[in-house]
Every structure is written in structure tokens, then in C-alpha cells.
Amino acid sequence: MTDGTPGTAAAPDPAAHTELTGLERTALYKSLGNPLRRRILDYLGLHGEANSTVLARELGESSGTTSYHLRKLAEQKLIEEIPEKSGGRERWWRSLPFSHTTPDPATMTSEEYTAAEHLALLRIEVDTRLFRRAHEEYRGPRGWAQVQRTGTWMTKDDLHAFVHAYQELLARHSHPDDAVPEGARRVNLRFYAAPDAVGEWEGEPTGP
């Protein structure tokens, strides 16, 4: 599973997760699964920048609370301070381009797997709402909301090449946050690939 920050033009690096230790990944999954930190990241992604006071007002929290979570997000390099706007005790923040590929669950510790599973379940809820919205807001092939489904035959190498080409295509048709053209909107995209089951046990499909 590869996740990236919307609005960035850089293609996700499939090997990005190798730069983190298991403990660092566990901390990352816990951080991304924290409801308030998710809201802070969503706000920065939508509005570009904010300080603890703005976030406290918009999210209904105290500035001390938002300031604490901002520092934690900065430690994990999910956001960074804006030097030209910060001064004294007032610190402004913006989100950073982010890409992470989840490793094979078989290589995880139990704590890391639990944190990753919790985060995955939260994302499934978000993705389900997004899927419903795409259908509700569909206005034909020329509209903003688009839904594509298909099935085909692939080897594993074919699938991996397709994923790589998808990432390159996304990068080619995306614009970085500091160069958004007029008329552009933030678009949420999801990609899933799941092969048909290859066997059955008591009438239920099993295996990848």
C-alpha cells in the first residue's frame, strides 16, 4: 500500500519504506491514525498553511493542543515551519510532500501490525465515503467525478509495471502546491488491485 500527499507532483517511491525502522513506521501509523492530527493534515492540505491559533479556532481545540500536535507532525517530517512567516512565538506551518509504502505484514512486529491495521481501517472508512461521493456526483464522462472499474489478465510483473506506469501518469498530470493553475481543483484518487481467488474451502474463496 502506497500513500501520498494529494497535490504533489512527485511519483511515490516504492522503496520509501526501507528508510524507516519498524519503530519509526509504528510511530508514523499511530500519528496518521490520530484523529486530530488527521484533521490538521487535512486542513493544511486544503488551505496551504496555518498556525496553532488558526487551527485551534477552525478545529475547536486549544492552541496549546494544536501546537503540541504540530510539533509532533514536524518531527515526523509530515509538515514544516514556514520561516518567512514565523517570528517569536508565532509559528506557521505547511504540509510536506509525503510518500510511504507499507511493507509486507509478515515482516512487522505485532505492535507495528496493530498500528498499521488500525490506520488501514480508518482509511477504508474514508475511501468508502469517497466512493459513494464519486457515484453521487457523477455527471457523465466530462464531469469532475469519475469512476472506472475493470478486470483483466496480468502476470505479477505486468501488475508491477502497471502500478509504476500509473504513478508516472499521476505525476505527469499533477501540479505541485506552489504551481497550481487557474481552474484546478484538488482531486482524490485511489487505486486498488486484487487478483481473483484461486481456490475454495467449504465454498469460500481462499488465497491470493
Side-chain angles (χ1 to χ4, degrees):
M1 293 180 288
T2 298
D3 294 283
T5 304
T8 61
D13 177 7
H17 68 276
T18 60
E19 299 175 2
L20 300 178
T21 67
L23 288 175
E24 289 170 333
R25 288 194 300 267
T26 301
L28 174 65
Y29 301 148
K30 288 181 177 180
S31 191
L32 292 175
N34 180 286
L36 180 53
R37 293 183 193 177
R38 289 298 316 168
R39 294 171 65 201
I40 290 174
L41 290 172
D42 289 344
Y43 185 92
L44 291 175
L46 183 62
H47 298 279
E49 58 186 41
N51 60 18
S52 59
T53 302
V54 170
L55 289 167
R57 181 183 69 241
E58 296 297 322
L59 304 182
E61 301 285 343
S62 70
S63 59
T65 298
T66 55
S67 179
Y68 168 80
H69 287 287
L70 284 166
R71 291 195 302 272
K72 291 300 181 181
L73 289 170
E75 288 175 6
Q76 294 177 315
K77 296 180 172 54
L78 295 172
I79 65 173
E80 68 176 359
E81 188 176 352
I82 306 175
E84 60 270 23
K85 293 197 66 172
S86 300
R89 298 184 63 182
E90 183 177 10
R91 306 174 72 183
W92 284 77
W93 304 88
R94 60 191 168 209
S95 58
L96 285 169
F98 168 73
S99 175
H100 174 72
T101 301
T102 307
D104 182 350
T107 67
M108 296 180 176
T109 65
S110 59
E111 184 180 10
E112 182 183 354
Y113 181 81
T114 298
E117 183 180 40
H118 174 69
L119 178 58
L121 291 174
L122 293 177
R123 284 172 169 161
I124 288 172
E125 292 180 8
V126 173
D127 292 349
T128 300
R129 292 195 297 270
L130 183 62
F131 180 74
R132 291 183 180 276
R133 271 193 52 211
H135 279 275
E136 292 167 357
E137 298 176 11
Y138 180 73
R139 298 295 182 269
R142 304 294 294 175
W144 276 101
Q146 295 294 314
V147 179
Q148 294 285 326
R149 296 190 194 87
T150 190
T152 188
W153 290 91
M154 288 183 174
T155 65
K156 187 181 290 186
D157 287 342
D158 291 334
L159 176 59
H160 293 171
F162 181 85
V163 172
H164 182 69
Y166 167 81
Q167 293 169 340
E168 290 183 332
L169 184 67
L170 179 60
R172 189 159 67 247
H173 292 279
S174 300
H175 303 282
D177 293 333
D178 58 358
V180 178
E182 184 177 354
R185 294 174 61 182
R186 286 171 56 86
V187 178
N188 297 287
L189 298 99
R190 301 292 188 270
F191 167 74
Y192 305 102
D196 289 345
V198 295
E200 289 190 355
W201 182 76
E202 294 187 352
E204 295 294 329
T206 62

